[in-house]
Amino acid sequence: MTQQNVVASKTKSRMNRDKTVAKKPPAAPGYIPIPSRVLKNLENNGGQRISAWVDSMRASSPTRVKSTSSLAEEHSSWILRHPSALDMFEQIMDASKGKQIVMFLDYDGTLSPIVDDPDRAFMSDSMRKTVRKLASCFPTAIVTGRCRDKVYNFVRLAELYYAGSHGMDIQGPTGDSKYNKDKGDGVLFQPASEFLPMIDEVYHQLVEKMKSIPGARVENNKFCVSVHFRCVDEKKWSELAQQVRSVLKEYPKLRLNQGRKVLEIRPSIKWDKGKALEFLLESLGFANCNDVFPVYIGDDKTDEDAFKKLRDRGQGFGILVSKFPKVTTASYSLQEPNEVMDFLQRLVDWKQVSLRLRPRSRV
């Protein structure tokens, strides 16, 4: 990290833009990238080549057709490798003893339920209250594929760090927080600023293209564009793929990735949620510390970059939020946002008890 990439938000007009287009980072386990050869073949209409790409869409958004007994057996085997973070809470706290816990939270599917309309992915008042208490106990960041401003409007807690657009738009606390080192408008990091006009162009073109596909939604997340096909009839997926490709082929500096029933167009720079996690740890002064214990909770394939980063660092752990078995590098699991809230509340309670017992200790 270089100093010129970190500035107060009120001086962001002088931001140094990173103009290096890096190679595509390796895909995390369980993440299904779109192979470049398949993208090139999308210029052909229909046929086997389009079908191969649609098969990739299905693979990233599977429909559960297994029997109840098969699902139960598969889940039992999976849970042995990724046990519930609630069941293992005491062991987790033992591992964090004497270390500074730092919390990283995805938004959709983690703090709020997955919904058909992404503009209505509201978090509950009880979740907001819990996250506020969490941030008073530990440095806390929201790391999301959403636009930073949009997720802030959902969460409405100024004392948090926010990393939007998969970490390509990071701002520190702007409210009263003992973890806000800047004490001003917060630090701001945008490693892909030069792509903003290009992303805006792609967004408007895709909005027009998707008008012919019922149920398709295009979301402008500032540094990336998301095409949601959760409400699109599967028979229309081939047409949707062709329309996306017809736009993307004119922008070789952008790349296409898949999430859960969403296609995401992003700048081709080596930056992801794992890189954002490292940046935030460094901003907090924990870059080379042995006494830091990062915890990352997320539900999507894009969160695997952060899970993998923690495993590579040998510090802290990842928690995958999922009701179904998935390939993941996370150590633990939770089934849904309500369980996430329970886990966060237990962290808060544990912190408050530890402060009463050891008021001067650093946890």
Side-chain angles (χ1 to χ4, degrees):
M1 181 185 69
T2 56
Q3 183 62 33
Q4 63 264 31
N5 282 332
V6 184
V7 296
S9 60
K10 57 189 173 186
T11 62
K12 63 183 177 181
S13 62
R14 300 194 299 272
M15 185 181 306
N16 178 52
R17 294 180 178 180
D18 180 284
K19 295 185 178 181
T20 300
V21 179
K23 293 181 180 180
K24 181 178 178 180
Y31 192 83
I32 303 176
I34 310 298
S36 58
R37 60 180 175 78
V38 177
L39 286 176
K40 291 178 181 178
N41 289 338
L42 279 175
E43 294 184 36
N44 294 339
N45 293 323
Q48 294 181 345
R49 289 168 177 171
I50 288 292
S51 297
W53 193 76
V54 172
D55 287 343
S56 181
M57 292 171 68
R58 292 194 186 100
S60 68
S61 310
T63 302
R64 295 285 164 178
V65 295
K66 294 184 179 181
S67 67
T68 302
S69 59
S70 297
L71 282 174
E73 183 178 349
E74 183 180 355
H75 187 268
S76 295
S77 175
W78 184 81
I79 207 70
L80 289 174
R81 302 189 302 276
H82 310 285
S84 167
L86 287 171
D87 293 343
M88 302 296 288
F89 186 81
E90 295 302 326
Q91 291 90 327
I92 292 170
M93 291 302 97
D94 287 344
S96 71
K97 190 174 297 183
K99 300 178 181 180
Q100 171 66 61
I101 294 175
V102 182
M103 296 299 302
F104 299 90
L105 307 168
D106 180 35
Y107 184 74
D108 294 276
T110 300
L111 299 182
S112 72
I114 295 293
V115 294
D116 290 341
D117 183 352
D119 291 333
R120 300 190 62 79
F122 305 118
M123 68 189 302
S124 66
D125 290 340
S126 54
M127 179 68 87
R128 182 176 295 102
K129 181 179 178 180
T130 300
V131 174
R132 177 181 286 115
K133 290 188 292 185
L134 182 77
S136 71
C137 297
F138 312 104
T140 302
I142 307 293
V143 186
T144 174
R146 294 270 198 162
C147 169
R148 174 169 56 83
D149 291 339
K150 187 175 292 186
V151 81
Y152 179 85
N153 288 334
F154 280 137
V155 178
R156 303 197 305 277
L157 295 176
E159 58 268 39
L160 305 183
Y161 284 81
Y162 289 88
S165 302
H166 301 284
M168 286 183 281
D169 189 9
I170 302 177
Q171 188 163 10
T174 57
D176 183 19
S177 171
K178 60 185 175 181
Y179 306 113
N180 182 3
K181 297 181 180 295
D182 183 69
K183 299 301 181 185
D185 291 333
V187 297
L188 187 69
F189 181 57
Q190 295 179 330
S193 296
E194 66 172 295
F195 289 90
L196 285 175
M198 191 182 301
I199 290 292
D200 196 54
E201 287 178 13
V202 168
Y203 167 72
H204 286 100
Q205 290 184 41
L206 285 172
V207 167
E208 289 301 313
K209 295 286 187 180
M210 292 301 115
K211 286 181 179 179
S212 64
I213 303 176
R217 295 182 63 93
V218 185
E219 186 177 15
N220 188 341
N221 287 313
K222 192 170 183 177
F223 288 93
C224 61
V225 178
S226 300
V227 180
H228 300 273
F229 58 93
R230 179 173 297 276
C231 298
V232 176
D233 190 310
E234 194 168 324
K235 295 177 182 178
K236 287 282 188 176
W237 286 8
S238 292
E239 181 182 345
L240 185 144
Q242 292 174 35
Q243 297 285 19
V244 171
R245 175 55 188 167
S246 69
V247 173
L248 194 59
K249 69 180 182 180
E250 303 299 328
Y251 297 89
K253 290 186 177 182
L254 300 180
R255 61 187 173 98
L256 182 66
N257 290 306
Q258 279 182 236
R260 187 163 57 179
K261 292 196 175 178
V262 62
L263 306 180
E264 292 183 325
I265 294 92
R266 304 187 213 167
S268 294
I269 66 170
K270 195 173 182 180
W271 197 262
D272 53 40
K273 290 183 176 182
K275 294 286 186 181
L277 181 149
E278 279 195 318
F279 173 85
L280 286 166
L281 287 175
E282 185 173 348
S283 298
L284 287 162
F286 299 126
N288 299 306
C289 294
N290 294 322
D291 60 347
V292 63
F293 196 82
V295 178
Y296 189 105
I297 308 179
D299 77 308
D300 196 59
K301 295 180 179 66
T302 58
D303 298 309
E304 290 295 333
D305 294 311
F307 296 154
K308 185 177 184 299
K309 183 64 65 176
L310 290 180
R311 180 156 292 188
D312 291 344
R313 289 173 63 95
Q315 292 179 313
F317 59 86
I319 301 175
L320 176 68
V321 184
S322 178
K323 292 183 177 181
F324 305 105
K326 295 180 180 179
V327 177
T328 182
T329 50
S331 300
Y332 301 99
S333 64
L334 293 167
Q335 291 199 30
E336 58 188 1
N338 282 338
E339 286 199 353
V340 173
M341 184 167 62
D342 290 344
F343 179 81
L344 299 182
Q345 184 60 56
R346 289 188 68 176
L347 273 176
V348 171
D349 294 342
W350 173 85
K351 176 68 173 184
Q352 291 173 344
V353 169
S354 68
L355 287 177
R356 286 198 297 269
L357 295 176
R358 297 172 291 141
R360 298 192 178 195
S361 64
R362 185 183 182 214
V363 181

